[in-house]
Amino acid sequence: MPRSRHLTSCAFFALSIGLASPVAAQEGAPPAPRPSAPADEQTGPDIVVTGSLIRGTPEDAAIPVDVISSEELSRQGTPSAVDLLKNLPTSSGVIGDANQFDSRSQGNEGVASVNLRGLGPQRTLVLLNGKRLVAVGGGIPIVDVNLIPSGAIGRVEVLKDGAAATYGSDAIAGVVNFITRTDQKGFLASGDYRYIRGSSGDYTANLSFGHNSGPLHVLASVGYQHRSELRTTDRDFTVQPYANNPQGGYTGGGNPGNFGFGGTANFVRDLGCEGLGGFRSQAGSTTDRCFNNYGQFGNLVEPEDRLQAYVDTSIQLADTLKFSASALYGYSSTRITTSPTYLPTLPPSVNAASGGGGLFVIPTYAPALRDYCTLYGAASGCVTAGGVPLAPAIAFPVLFRPALLGGNPLFRGRNGDDRGSAYSKRVSEEMRFTADLSYDVTPDLNLTGGFTYSEYYRESEGTDTFGDLLQNALAGFGGANCAYATPQSRAGLSTAQITALAGTNGCTFFNPFSTAVAANGVSNAANPNYAGTRNPTGFSLTPGAGLINDLPTFDNFFRTTNTRYTTRLLVGDLVLSGKTGLRLPGGDLSFAVGAQYRRNDYSVLYNNDSNIAVNPCPGSPLNPAATCTQQTGALGFLGTNANLSTSNDIKALFGELQVPLLDRLNLQLSARYEDYGGRVGSTFNPQGRIRLQVTDWLALRGGAGTTFRGPPAQQLSGNLTALQIIGTSFRAVDINGNPNLSPEKATTYSAGILLHSGGFSASLDYYRYKLKGPIEGEPIQGMVNALFGATGTANCGNAAFAALQARFTFTGAGCGIGNVQRLRTQTINSANVTTSGLDLQAAYRFGLGAANLEFGGSGTYVIEYKTKDITVEGVVVQPTFDGVGLLNYQTTAYPIPQIKGTAYVQGAVGGHSLRVQYNYIDGYTDQRGTAIFGPNAGALAGASVTGGKNIKPFATFDATYRLSLRGTGSTLTLSALNIFDKAPPFARLDQNYDPFTANPLGFTAKVGFSQKF
């Protein structure tokens, strides 16, 4: 981390010690005049709750708000953010577990999100004490809930309705408001350890201090969390045979790879494939290829360390004047553990030795090729004379890579990496400062000015290959000290001179065949054809001489990329709220009016290897003057991008009325106008909610309104690169910004019934969202399916598809799904989405002797999730579909199980309590067609693999026991999670399960302890 960032962080936190305080429970709202009680104790009209700018009402009011108190979380064993959100019935498609193979979650290692209604995490507004948190930079702008100070949280309020009229942009699906404690006195220390089979376990520690005396309130908290590495090989379900799941982490472009021998372009398997643990096409298949499993080199849980420090304070400066402020600092460090190397999808240029023909080339003089042809004889496919190949071997850019099954030699043995997986760091740092000055103009009228500044810094590294440097090494001109590496140094040399100079004058060879690999990196099974143990006659075994690879040569073409994102959010608002002086039959007419200014800044900086201004062409590392028709950069896979700095300013006016028409009838009206300026323009959104108390035990509530989300600054310009399976291997996908984006808008409707009688309470709510022009990336899978169809070339050359075909970059072999090197997409206002469903909650509390018992549950039933046709370049690439009960792989929707819910029974007597909880996620269907579930002619001789079409339900049981030692302030908690060790349902995905939905850990046990003093 740069020194300046350390200084800024220290200064920021030091300032917060003197200035921090609790803030209001709504963005732009005045703080409550006195500390809020816990959610289950809140009564009276003076409590500010999520969904209102004035004075809120309890959970069962017109606003559909769920309240999860810290006590409730403790009864559940204090779940992690990811565990809580995956079990939350209203949330689908959660980012949090390792999920590097889906473009919607790539780059977010260590980040956790909230995704209400499955509409996308960018459409759920996340607040801390009613004020915004800045989003993470990168592809999808989401708030990282992992850096919220869990040790200070008193409750979480979930508003299950659009709320842009109240809060502004992003609150389309709803709002999640994390609210810190206001009533703590003294110290509270807590910690826990979670046993996870196969890992070293997870553990947390928190320390907080609260002070409430006279005019001064202080809450300070510091927390630390650690997650231990859990490898894919630590669970049986994650690495499956190819015949069980060809999509389960397999690639047709690995090492051992596939090459063309004897002057032909019939790319066939390296004959060392099976000896190193690869899968070879079955007899009778249309191809003879080697498939490698990269999934075994990844992790289900990445090692991670997180730290949060939070402080708030408020002081009553005078009877009518109150100042409050808060500060938050969060830090996380994790990594991505991935394939030893990636595909070199860009072919070498003319600047590389033997380059320029659209393929990688292993020359006839290369010792690696000569040894391979000799070892395997006629079976190799080589055509030789006197033991010398008559034609070079050629390598298709997407059918081989420098290292896979043998691991990456640069990483093996580093930081406990015994597999040779490549890994890259992910570091996040967040700072936020808020201040409010609240003035009571009259006893019934309050004016509050608020200020928020927040910043999120994210540093991500990656690993990739300079294709021209790799080609040089294949031809014997590798290494950092090669005297003949540049095209200028080889200019005018004859073929004989090139042959004689290869491997001399500081130049080295790289062997791409299996004969260079000593053993499988995961199983450690020895390679029977390794050149180092065969000691073939007439060849040197000196590393770099042609058969045995050396680290400096590998290190020269294997590169580390570095990207630094910074997002900043500045908010200023002024709110006047209180009573109008008008008295209606049901009470006082209350109001809030205000104005707000927001500024969003986004910047991204790339290191030289990944900066297109430094390396615009494949040949740039060898020749700074290299030119190319399309500037693709020099990296073979991850792509090269330009530095970017952008910002936008938003101005808003808003208002709200609480209208108690009758004692039993209350109306809430709100509206907001936001102006984004420029091409984006402005938006106006009204909303109304109503609540009718029919009887003492029955109430009705409902609402309707419009809500919106403005385009984030980073999606208006610039570009990012994601990775996605196209055909049988990952390909680079460029996602370009779009300056013509408009705000997305939604019309929301809700209606509910509330029951409360004695110890029984229940609510049933209907919701409906009609989302217009959602800001999304173009659907990758849809574009691929539309152009290539089931045959792999279905619409290649079709004039109606010409513009769509131009989005793809192909190898010299031309249009075909197996020849794709790269795909260009952009962010668009996509097709309209309509979703609706039902939310149900119920609980029954009663006493039985000295014990208090409770039964309850909550659940969501999704009725529909319909997306209209999506058109790209005049072609419908994603036809209208209903995503309910579907996996929605690489569509614009996330997985949407139709039913999701929890049920529990709990009891308490004395200092003892026990809770047993049942968690249920409905089964759903993988809607992909014959390309996945039909005949596999290329590798399985036409056999179909049908398993995983229907993804089964995921049901687990948890139990938590708590012992509170009265009079001591001590509490002991014991939890057994997923008691019956249920594995996640099988899915035809890279990790053989759906990381957005299920949990891969199996049975875990947790022990926690807290102490007040």
Side-chain angles (χ1 to χ4, degrees), residues 614-867:
V614 179
N615 287 296
C617 298
S620 297
L622 293 174
N623 179 11
T627 60
C628 48
T629 303
Q630 180 183 358
Q631 289 192 347
T632 58
L635 294 171
F637 194 66
L638 294 178
T640 307
N641 299 287
N643 291 344
L644 174 68
S645 179
T646 185
S647 63
N648 60 359
D649 298 271
I650 303 101
K651 303 175 184 68
L653 298 172
F654 51 87
E656 181 186 337
L657 287 174
Q658 289 282 356
V659 187
L661 297 172
L662 301 169
D663 285 342
R664 291 176 174 268
L665 182 63
N666 187 74
L667 179 66
Q668 180 196 36
L669 300 173
S670 54
R672 189 179 187 101
Y673 170 81
E674 289 209 355
D675 183 13
Y676 284 77
R679 297 180 181 179
V680 177
S682 61
T683 179
F684 175 76
N685 294 273
Q687 188 170 48
R689 297 188 179 102
I690 191 168
R691 180 179 184 273
L692 173 64
Q693 189 72 42
V694 181
T695 69
D696 290 342
W697 56 270
L698 173 65
L700 303 175
R701 65 185 176 191
T706 63
T707 186
F708 72 96
R709 173 176 170 261
Q714 61 264 45
Q715 292 185 326
L716 292 169
S717 59
N719 74 298
L720 296 169
T721 301
L723 309 175
Q724 193 51 54
I725 289 283
I726 297 178
T728 61
S729 294
F730 277 92
R731 304 289 190 266
V733 177
D734 296 314
I735 306 171
N736 297 312
N738 183 353
N740 298 313
L741 291 174
S742 300
E744 57 184 55
K745 298 181 180 180
T747 303
T748 64
Y749 308 90
S750 64
I753 181 171
L754 309 169
L755 302 172
H756 184 83
S757 178
F760 176 76
S761 60
S763 65
L764 177 65
D765 288 289
Y766 168 81
Y767 67 86
R768 182 177 176 84
Y769 296 77
K770 298 180 70 173
L771 180 59
K772 181 179 179 181
I775 300 169
E776 299 279 5
E778 292 168 324
I780 299 166
Q781 195 64 36
M783 296 172 71
V784 171
N785 293 343
L787 182 61
F788 304 115
T791 65
T793 58
N795 290 300
C796 289
N798 185 332
F801 290 76
L804 180 62
Q805 182 175 324
R807 295 288 199 96
F808 293 81
T809 300
F810 300 101
T811 65
C815 181
I817 194 169
N819 307 330
V820 174
Q821 292 179 316
R822 206 171 194 87
L823 171 60
R824 175 172 51 88
T825 70
Q826 69 173 350
T827 305
I828 60 172
N829 285 109
S830 191
N832 298 349
V833 175
T834 300
T835 184
S836 63
L838 298 169
D839 295 325
L840 171 66
Q841 292 189 86
Y844 178 57
R845 304 173 180 88
F846 62 97
L848 185 63
N852 294 314
L853 300 179
E854 181 177 339
F855 299 88
S858 62
T860 294
Y861 178 86
V862 185
I863 298 171
E864 62 177 340
Y865 193 105
K866 294 181 179 178
T867 301

Side-chain angles (χ1 to χ4, degrees), residues 104 118 865 867 878 881 883 887-896:
R104 294 167 292 184
Y865 193 105
T867 301
Q878 183 177 290
F881 76 101
L887 174 64
N888 298 316
Y889 178 79
Q890 285 307 308
T891 67
T892 51
Y894 287 81
I896 308 288

Side-chain angles (χ1 to χ4, degrees), residues 477-667:
F477 295 96
N481 300 314
C482 178
Y484 292 94
T486 66
Q488 295 85 354
S489 65
R490 298 189 304 275
L493 297 179
S494 66
T495 301
Q497 289 174 314
I498 292 289
T499 300
L501 289 171
T504 67
N505 294 281
C507 303
T508 52
F509 280 96
F510 178 75
N511 178 359
F513 300 117
S514 60
T515 53
V517 181
N520 182 288
V522 175
S523 68
N524 291 317
N527 178 10
N529 300 306
Y530 175 50
T533 54
R534 287 188 293 108
N535 194 17
T537 303
F539 294 96
S540 171
L541 294 183
T542 301
L547 296 192
I548 308 299
N549 293 324
D550 67 320
L551 289 180
T553 301
F554 198 98
D555 194 33
N556 186 49
F557 62 72
F558 186 79
R559 315 298 292 189
T560 297
T561 67
N562 181 278
T563 307
R564 286 162 287 164
Y565 305 95
T566 303
T567 49
R568 297 182 179 91
L569 173 65
L570 175 67
V571 182
D573 46 42
L574 187 66
V575 180
L576 179 68
S577 67
K579 299 177 181 178
T580 63
L582 298 176
R583 181 80 179 177
L584 299 178
D588 292 307
L589 176 67
S590 300
F591 79 100
V593 294
Q596 184 180 82
Y597 169 80
R598 298 199 308 273
R599 179 180 176 87
N600 296 296
D601 294 293
Y602 170 81
S603 65
V604 57
L605 299 173
Y606 298 93
N607 71 344
N608 287 345
D609 283 356
S610 54
N611 192 325
I612 203 164
V614 179
N615 287 296
C617 298
S620 297
L622 293 174
N623 179 11
T627 60
C628 48
T629 303
Q630 180 183 358
Q631 289 192 347
T632 58
L635 294 171
F637 194 66
L638 294 178
T640 307
N641 299 287
N643 291 344
L644 174 68
S645 179
T646 185
S647 63
N648 60 359
D649 298 271
I650 303 101
K651 303 175 184 68
L653 298 172
F654 51 87
E656 181 186 337
L657 287 174
Q658 289 282 356
V659 187
L661 297 172
L662 301 169
D663 285 342
R664 291 176 174 268
L665 182 63
N666 187 74
L667 179 66

Side-chain angles (χ1 to χ4, degrees), residues 362-372 474 509 511 539-540 545-547:
I362 302 95
T364 57
Y365 60 78
L369 178 59
R370 294 187 175 190
D371 172 61
Y372 182 89
L474 295 174
F509 280 96
N511 178 359
F539 294 96
S540 171
L547 296 192

Side-chain angles (χ1 to χ4, degrees), residues 118-420:
L119 285 168
Q122 68 272 36
R123 296 184 184 90
T124 297
L125 180 64
V126 179
L127 307 174
L128 176 60
N129 287 328
K131 290 186 177 286
R132 286 176 177 263
L133 290 156
V134 68
V136 180
I140 298 176
I142 60 177
V143 170
D144 182 6
V145 299
N146 271 341
L147 294 186
I148 288 175
S150 57
I153 298 302
R155 68 184 187 274
V156 182
E157 295 185 349
V158 182
L159 172 58
K160 305 173 294 185
D161 193 9
T166 303
Y167 296 108
S169 180
D170 305 339
I172 282 187
V175 179
V176 176
N177 190 8
F178 293 85
I179 301 173
T180 55
R181 291 188 296 275
T182 58
D183 56 354
Q184 181 173 330
K185 295 181 180 180
F187 287 93
L188 174 63
S190 63
D192 58 60
Y193 172 80
R194 186 178 187 180
Y195 162 80
I196 301 172
R197 177 174 54 86
S199 88
S200 298
D202 298 350
Y203 44 89
T204 70
N206 293 289
L207 177 65
S208 59
F209 171 76
H211 173 78
N212 290 281
S213 178
L216 180 65
H217 159 79
V218 175
L219 176 68
S221 171
V222 62
Y224 170 76
Q225 301 89 41
H226 173 80
R227 298 192 80 185
S228 297
E229 178 185 44
L230 182 68
R231 298 181 174 185
T232 53
T233 51
D234 291 324
R235 291 294 181 269
D236 295 337
F237 63 85
T238 50
V239 181
Q240 300 268 354
Y242 183 91
N244 287 5
N245 184 9
Q247 289 71 43
Y250 284 92
T251 176
N255 186 310
N258 301 281
F259 302 90
F261 298 98
T264 73
N266 180 27
F267 296 94
V268 295
R269 74 292 159 269
D270 180 324
L271 284 169
C273 174
E274 293 166 295
L276 269 171
F279 174 81
R280 181 178 175 180
S281 299
Q282 293 178 355
S285 300
T286 56
T287 65
D288 186 6
R289 298 276 171 82
C290 181
F291 296 88
N292 293 196
N293 184 277
Y294 53 79
Q296 61 192 316
F297 290 91
N299 284 340
L300 291 170
V301 178
E302 297 287 4
E304 181 179 353
D305 292 282
R306 297 194 299 267
L307 173 70
Q308 306 92 19
Y310 175 78
V311 60
D312 71 39
T313 188
S314 65
I315 185 168
Q316 197 75 39
L317 301 175
D319 289 344
T320 58
L321 188 64
K322 182 178 182 180
F323 175 75
S324 54
S326 72
L328 167 68
Y329 175 79
Y331 174 85
S332 73
S333 175
T334 184
R335 72 188 194 195
I336 179 174
T337 306
T338 188
S339 175
T341 62
Y342 293 138
L343 291 168
T345 61
L346 293 179
S349 73
V350 295
N351 296 278
S354 301
L359 299 166
F360 287 89
V361 177
I362 302 95
T364 57
Y365 60 78
L369 178 59
R370 294 187 175 190
D371 172 61
Y372 182 89
C373 295
T374 300
L375 174 65
Y376 292 110
S380 68
C382 300
V383 178
T384 63
V388 177
L390 297 179
I394 53 176
F396 209 44
V398 296
L399 290 179
F400 92 111
R401 67 183 72 191
L404 209 165
L405 291 184
N408 187 316
L410 297 175
F411 288 89
R412 183 182 291 277
R414 287 169 49 183
N415 297 324
D417 182 0
D418 56 1
R419 294 177 290 179

